[in-house]
Amino acid sequence: MTESRPRVTAAITVDLVVLTVRRDRLHVLLIERGTEPYAGQPALPGGFLRDREDLLDSAIRELREETSLDGRRLHLEQLGAYAAADRDPRGRVLTVAYLAIAPNLPQPSAGTDAAGAVWMPADRLVGPDPVPLAFDHAAILRDGIERARVELEYTTVAAAFCKDEFTITELRTVYEAVWGTTVDPRNFARKVLTADGFVVPTGHKRASEMGRPAALYRRGAALLLNPPMLRAQSMARRRPSA
Amino acid sequence: MTESRPRVTAAITVDLVVLTVRRDRLHVLLIERGTEPYAGQPALPGGFLRDREDLLDSAIRELREETSLDGRRLHLEQLGAYAAADRDPRGRVLTVAYLAIAPNLPQPSAGTDAAGAVWMPADRLVGPDPVPLAFDHAAILRDGIERARVELEYTTVAAAFCKDEFTITELRTVYEAVWGTTVDPRNFARKVLTADGFVVPTGHKRASEMGRPAALYRRGAALLLNPPMLRAQSMARRRPSA
DNA sequence: CGACTTAATGTCAATGCGACGTTTAGTTAC
DNA sequence: GTAACTAAACGTCGCATTGACATTAAGTCG
């Protein structure tokens, strides 16, 4: 750190990959850009870091400003930094991406400050013929979704997709939506209920429209799921050559 | 991203947590700072991002310049961004930390460009009465070591601590050094050898000074270890309240 | 050759998990 | 009211994996 070669100063932005499960499908929160570059195009919510602000505070503020979500009550973790020299036509902009996981909120996230915010099904962004996103947001989104998929295996974050009280079936549909697979209901319930501290029973029941009413649970104290819940051999990623 | 409020531009640095195992103990590569601030104090190797350089390229360059290690042959992954407003007395500096894992190299990493680079035992930095590091490097280092510990459970990176050819016992000492525990040699060998693509036998043997010669292996194509090798119930981290 | 050292292979019980069957507690149709 | 229907909850069985520990194999040294 001693050389006086051409150093770079960059503008810093914080961008958010906000995930939720709606109608049994994974959705991503997008905004429509109001200004150039990429005006009118969908993008991840985010914005410039303020004067004496730290990264996490900035993520929480952006979340409130652009989507009227309360980031202090959401699962929020840093995803990574993206700084390719040409990722923003305005000049050098480094962005720090955060992954947020939200329960399926009653508000369709419109009408408020978050005028342009919409929930987009994830498969319209990562599947074939995807909706193009501004900047390198498509790559950031892919990284965010992949992170969520992995964390469902090894941690208890799945509960962050649910409201305060939830049924085992609701928790299972989170796994199915994020992984894009089906999960056996009986084995899933056994795994979740015997895992220490994943969920705790509340004693309440939810009267459903049909069938036997389901018991309600709240999320437990455990952060890690040990042993993990592994996806059916996820095409175990391999190194390029070697 | 539309408001024209007080934006921040920051200098960008890339810092490296370089880990290796020497004499059965985890070590961290540190440099001695030559200039203010924190002149003379140990710090993580790193430096300012250059003009049109991307983050990973910068990490590889710093690694070569400050430690004469070839980052293209090392395991190198992004750890995270650190941007607390007061983390650098010179002003706003955002750093992107990288985790590098190196085999125990014959060169004691001195005499070359890397004059001031030394391998420091990790327990002198994270244990009681730790050697103080410049900036927030102590926190970054803790995050790096924790990341390495977790990745040993779920991935095959442990082999990145070893030279091209290695014995099962050498691989096991990596786990023991990084985790700070003992691992049963027989169960460990069974796990590693039956795991698909973790190690591949080379057919060679290493004549040791004493005892039966050990078979040599090269690292396999698998990146993930599935099912993972879990540490003995690692005090399963829990959430603050709830 | 026998003592010693480390590697490699083996045994066995307990646990976890995938695949699937059965019972329970509600609602709706007649 | 009762039968049909639906979804939740609980149970069974065999296999794979694991932890704990014993035994055999292949070298060196005295």
Side-chain angles (χ1 to χ4, degrees):
Chain A
M1 294 183 54
T2 57
E3 72 282 353
S4 54
R5 307 281 193 77
R7 296 176 179 177
V8 168
T9 49
I12 313 279
T13 60
V14 171
D15 288 319
L16 289 146
V17 177
V18 189
L19 302 180
T20 198
V21 173
R22 291 166 68 85
R23 282 170 282 112
D24 296 352
R25 288 168 74 197
L26 183 65
H27 284 66
V28 185
L29 191 63
L30 297 181
I31 55 128
E32 184 178 322
R33 284 188 57 79
T35 57
E36 292 296 338
Y38 299 101
Q41 200 164 334
L44 298 178
F48 286 94
L49 188 70
R50 297 274 176 82
D51 191 14
R52 293 195 54 80
E53 200 175 43
D54 203 348
L55 295 168
L56 183 59
D57 300 324
S58 183
I60 292 170
R61 176 180 55 76
E62 299 289 349
L63 209 46
R64 186 178 56 242
E65 286 181 3
E66 296 204 40
T67 72
S68 64
L69 291 171
D70 183 358
R72 291 164 305 183
R73 305 194 53 192
L74 262 48
H75 175 87
L76 200 52
E77 64 176 286
Q78 196 186 106
L79 201 52
Y82 298 79
D86 59 353
R87 65 175 293 279
D88 191 318
R90 291 169 294 190
R92 192 88 197 215
V93 180
L94 178 148
T95 196
V96 179
Y98 275 78
L99 173 65
I101 292 177
N104 182 5
L105 300 163
Q107 51 173 140
S109 75
T112 64
D113 312 8
V118 293
W119 291 111
M120 174 89 73
D123 49 23
R124 292 189 50 192
L125 296 164
V126 294
D129 192 26
V131 175
L133 297 184
F135 306 106
D136 52 359
H137 287 185
I140 296 172
L141 174 61
R142 263 200 312 278
D143 292 349
I145 291 175
E146 182 53 31
R147 174 80 69 97
R149 286 184 173 146
V150 171
E151 290 197 350
L152 250 56
E153 295 187 298
Y154 302 120
T155 75
T156 60
V157 278
F161 282 98
C162 299
K163 302 196 186 71
D164 262 16
E165 292 199 330
F166 53 87
T167 67
I168 298 295
T169 297
E170 285 168 356
L171 190 61
R172 181 169 49 82
T173 63
V174 168
Y175 276 88
E176 294 182 330
V178 176
W179 285 349
T181 62
T182 60
V183 176
D184 183 271
R186 296 154 296 187
N187 294 336
F188 180 82
R190 178 180 58 188
K191 174 72 180 169
V192 167
L193 293 174
T194 61
D196 192 56
F198 195 164
V199 297
V200 289
T202 64
H204 306 157
K205 289 200 187 302
R206 169 170 305 164
S208 60
E209 301 170 359
M210 277 202 283
R212 177 174 173 174
L216 288 169
Y217 296 85
R218 201 185 308 281
R219 76 174 301 182
L223 285 179
L224 287 99
L225 186 54
N226 188 306
M229 175 150 35
L230 299 172
R231 292 178 272 183
Q233 286 306 20
S234 49
M235 249 325 38
R237 291 135 270 185
R238 288 168 177 279
R239 293 194 298 154
S241 64
Chain B
M1 294 183 54
T2 56
E3 72 281 353
S4 54
R5 307 281 192 78
R7 295 177 181 177
V8 168
T9 50
I12 313 278
T13 60
V14 171
D15 289 318
L16 289 145
V17 177
V18 189
L19 302 180
T20 198
V21 173
R22 291 166 68 86
R23 281 170 282 115
D24 296 353
R25 289 168 74 197
L26 182 65
H27 284 66
V28 185
L29 191 64
L30 297 181
I31 56 128
E32 183 178 324
R33 284 187 57 79
T35 57
E36 291 295 337
Y38 299 101
Q41 201 164 332
L44 298 177
F48 286 95
L49 188 71
R50 296 274 176 83
D51 192 13
R52 293 194 55 77
E53 199 175 44
D54 203 347
L55 294 168
L56 183 60
D57 300 324
S58 183
I60 292 170
R61 175 180 57 77
E62 299 289 349
L63 209 46
R64 186 177 56 243
E65 286 181 4
E66 297 205 40
T67 73
S68 63
L69 292 171
D70 183 358
R72 292 165 304 183
R73 306 193 53 192
L74 262 47
H75 175 87
L76 201 51
E77 65 177 285
Q78 197 187 107
L79 200 52
Y82 299 79
D86 59 353
R87 63 175 295 278
D88 192 318
R90 291 167 295 191
R92 192 88 195 211
V93 180
L94 179 149
T95 195
V96 179
Y98 275 78
L99 174 65
I101 292 177
N104 182 6
L105 301 163
Q107 51 173 139
S109 76
T112 64
D113 312 9
V118 293
W119 291 110
M120 174 90 72
D123 48 22
R124 292 189 50 191
L125 296 164
V126 294
D129 192 26
V131 175
L133 297 185
F135 306 105
D136 53 358
H137 288 185
I140 296 172
L141 174 61
R142 263 200 311 277
D143 292 348
I145 291 176
E146 183 53 31
R147 174 79 69 95
R149 285 184 173 148
V150 170
E151 290 197 348
L152 250 55
E153 295 188 297
Y154 301 121
T155 75
T156 60
V157 277
F161 281 99
C162 299
K163 302 196 185 71
D164 263 15
E165 292 199 331
F166 53 88
T167 67
I168 299 295
T169 298
E170 285 167 355
L171 189 62
R172 181 169 49 83
T173 63
V174 168
Y175 277 87
E176 295 183 329
V178 176
W179 284 350
T181 62
T182 60
V183 176
D184 184 273
R186 297 154 296 187
N187 293 336
F188 179 83
R190 178 180 58 190
K191 174 71 179 169
V192 167
L193 293 174
T194 62
D196 193 55
F198 195 164
V199 297
V200 290
T202 64
H204 307 157
K205 289 202 187 303
R206 169 169 305 164
S208 60
E209 300 170 358
M210 277 200 284
R212 177 174 172 174
L216 288 169
Y217 296 85
R218 203 184 309 279
R219 76 174 299 182
L223 285 179
L224 289 103
L225 186 54
N226 189 306
M229 173 149 38
L230 300 172
R231 292 177 273 183
Q233 285 305 22
S234 49
M235 247 329 35
R237 291 135 271 186
R238 289 169 174 277
R239 293 194 299 152
S241 64

